[in-house]
Amino acid sequence: MEKTFEKLKNELKNKNIRLSHQRLKVLEYMSTHKTHPTVDMIYNDLQKEVPTLSKTTIYNTLDTLKNAGLVKVVTIEDNEVRYDSRTHEHGHFKCVSCEEIFDFDIKFDSFATKGLDNFKINNKDVYFKGICPDCSTKQ
Amino acid sequence: MEKTFEKLKNELKNKNIRLSHQRLKVLEYMSTHKTHPTVDMIYNDLQKEVPTLSKTTIYNTLDTLKNAGLVKVVTIEDNEVRYDSRTHEHGHFKCVSCEEIFDFDIKFDSFATKGLDNFKINNKDVYFKGICPDCSTKQ
DNA sequence: TTTCTAAGTTGTAATCATTACAAGTTAATT
DNA sequence: AATTAACTTGTAATGATTACAACTTAGAAA
């Protein structure tokens, strides 16, 4: 069940976050591009529509959206930060060949963990790396 | 079953990686400090023993050790990279209050995943965030 | 042991992502 | 339409990581 741009817009309104032109553009971009983009990808794409857009604004906006729970940060590699607007629980798989990031379903409750009694868990991330089917057959 | 420094040293030898003084110092540090240190922490601590040590060497060495499978990179936050010499399968929990990273046992096979048929998985990372028991009681 | 050399180390400089900041602009309330 | 706190922008500062060239060394060979 994906959230539409309109729904996301309402969520911002409800949280008293101003609906600036730039913010809405970034939000719309995130809701239509499920590619786990980097700041640079967002910047390069959106600049075509909004030439005055600043990269600082994208950083600020993503931070705002992150705090509002509308986007998630994906740190699957140590040298790039990606953003994800799918906020339901799922895992991330990065193909080390084509660099694409795939979402996959995962039941966090199914984890058999030991040694976390009395730990308050607020956030769970599951990152896999390997080769995607397309890249496997190409080799 | 933790690997001793001697065992790690042999693993380097077997992989034809030269046993330079600096490399052995970093390796020894990693095998005795299970704190998931950053490059800076390693640098600051080791400089006391090896004053001429360069930060570049630490980056190079950690990269070598990573490729040799003797250390793992932990990217639980988007603004710091940590290193781990425990290479058996386990998860990482970061306390957002005291910033400490805890290891926990987890059976990767217990994951119920959907949508990863035909994906070759080479690497799995599980990152949790929250509050550790000590910080919970202090509040 | 001594010699030799490919590989490793070092310090400096370059790069790249992110953040700080001050001046100008705007959403949205009155 | 006026007001103002919040937002945006461009530039500059910061901080982590990488590139590179000169120097040093581990370890093989003689």
Side-chain angles (χ1 to χ4, degrees):
Chain A
M1 195 53 179
E2 293 294 339
K3 286 177 189 167
T4 63
F5 175 50
E6 281 307 316
K7 275 196 182 174
L8 289 166
K9 207 167 142 181
N10 278 329
E11 282 195 47
L12 277 194
K13 211 174 227 167
N14 294 338
K15 296 189 183 187
N16 283 316
I17 297 170
R18 275 202 198 168
L19 279 58
S20 73
H21 183 56
Q22 293 85 342
R23 233 169 235 172
L24 292 176
K25 277 295 177 188
V26 172
L27 190 62
E28 182 188 42
Y29 183 92
M30 291 302 296
S31 73
T32 53
H33 294 74
K34 301 295 187 176
T35 51
H36 314 88
T38 62
V39 165
D40 258 41
M41 294 172 193
I42 302 171
Y43 178 68
N44 289 327
D45 286 353
L46 279 184
Q47 231 189 4
K48 292 164 194 161
E49 291 180 61
V50 190
T52 62
L53 186 65
S54 156
K55 203 176 274 189
T56 303
T57 298
I58 298 184
Y59 277 105
N60 290 338
T61 301
L62 288 172
D63 198 54
T64 303
L65 297 178
K66 183 187 75 180
N67 292 332
L70 299 185
V71 304
K72 288 263 190 181
V73 179
V74 178
T75 56
I76 199 167
E77 295 279 11
D78 60 359
N79 60 353
E80 79 172 3
V81 178
R82 293 182 169 236
Y83 293 88
D84 189 359
S85 65
R86 288 199 177 99
T87 51
H88 68 274
E89 98 176 11
H90 66 282
H92 290 110
F93 177 100
K94 175 160 181 176
C95 176
V96 297
S97 174
C98 67
E99 311 249 287
E100 194 174 333
I101 292 182
F102 300 81
D103 294 309
F104 62 87
D105 287 331
I106 188 162
K107 279 194 198 135
F108 287 160
D109 291 340
S110 73
F111 295 178
T113 61
K114 258 197 325 188
L116 284 184
D117 303 329
N118 302 121
F119 282 72
K120 271 186 207 145
I121 302 170
N122 299 327
N123 188 271
K124 297 182 181 187
D125 284 307
V126 177
Y127 299 139
F128 289 1
K129 277 177 229 170
I131 308 283
C132 73
D134 267 16
C135 289
S136 286
T137 54
K138 272 176 198 158
Q139 278 162 7
Chain B
M1 197 51 180
E2 293 295 338
K3 286 178 188 164
T4 61
F5 174 51
E6 281 307 315
K7 274 196 183 173
L8 291 166
K9 207 167 141 182
N10 278 328
E11 282 195 47
L12 277 194
K13 212 175 226 166
N14 294 338
K15 295 188 183 186
N16 283 318
I17 298 170
R18 276 203 199 168
L19 278 59
S20 73
H21 183 55
Q22 293 86 340
R23 232 170 235 172
L24 291 176
K25 277 296 176 187
V26 171
L27 189 62
E28 182 187 43
Y29 183 92
M30 291 304 295
S31 74
T32 53
H33 294 75
K34 301 295 186 176
T35 51
H36 313 87
T38 62
V39 166
D40 259 39
M41 293 173 193
I42 302 171
Y43 178 68
N44 289 327
D45 285 352
L46 279 184
Q47 232 189 4
K48 294 164 194 161
E49 290 180 63
V50 191
T52 62
L53 187 64
S54 157
K55 206 177 270 189
T56 303
T57 298
I58 298 184
Y59 277 104
N60 290 340
T61 300
L62 288 172
D63 198 53
T64 302
L65 296 178
K66 183 187 76 182
N67 292 332
L70 297 186
V71 304
K72 288 262 189 182
V73 179
V74 178
T75 57
I76 199 166
E77 296 278 10
D78 61 358
N79 61 354
E80 79 172 5
V81 178
R82 292 184 171 234
Y83 293 87
D84 189 1
S85 64
R86 287 200 178 97
T87 51
H88 68 275
E89 96 177 12
H90 67 282
H92 289 111
F93 176 99
K94 175 160 180 177
C95 176
V96 296
S97 175
C98 67
E99 311 249 285
E100 195 174 333
I101 293 183
F102 300 81
D103 295 310
F104 62 88
D105 288 331
I106 187 162
K107 278 195 201 135
F108 286 160
D109 292 339
S110 73
F111 295 178
T113 61
K114 258 198 323 190
L116 285 185
D117 303 330
N118 300 120
F119 283 72
K120 271 187 207 145
I121 303 170
N122 300 327
N123 189 268
K124 297 182 179 185
D125 284 306
V126 177
Y127 299 138
F128 289 2
K129 278 178 230 171
I131 307 283
C132 73
D134 267 15
C135 288
S136 286
T137 53
K138 272 176 198 157
Q139 278 162 8

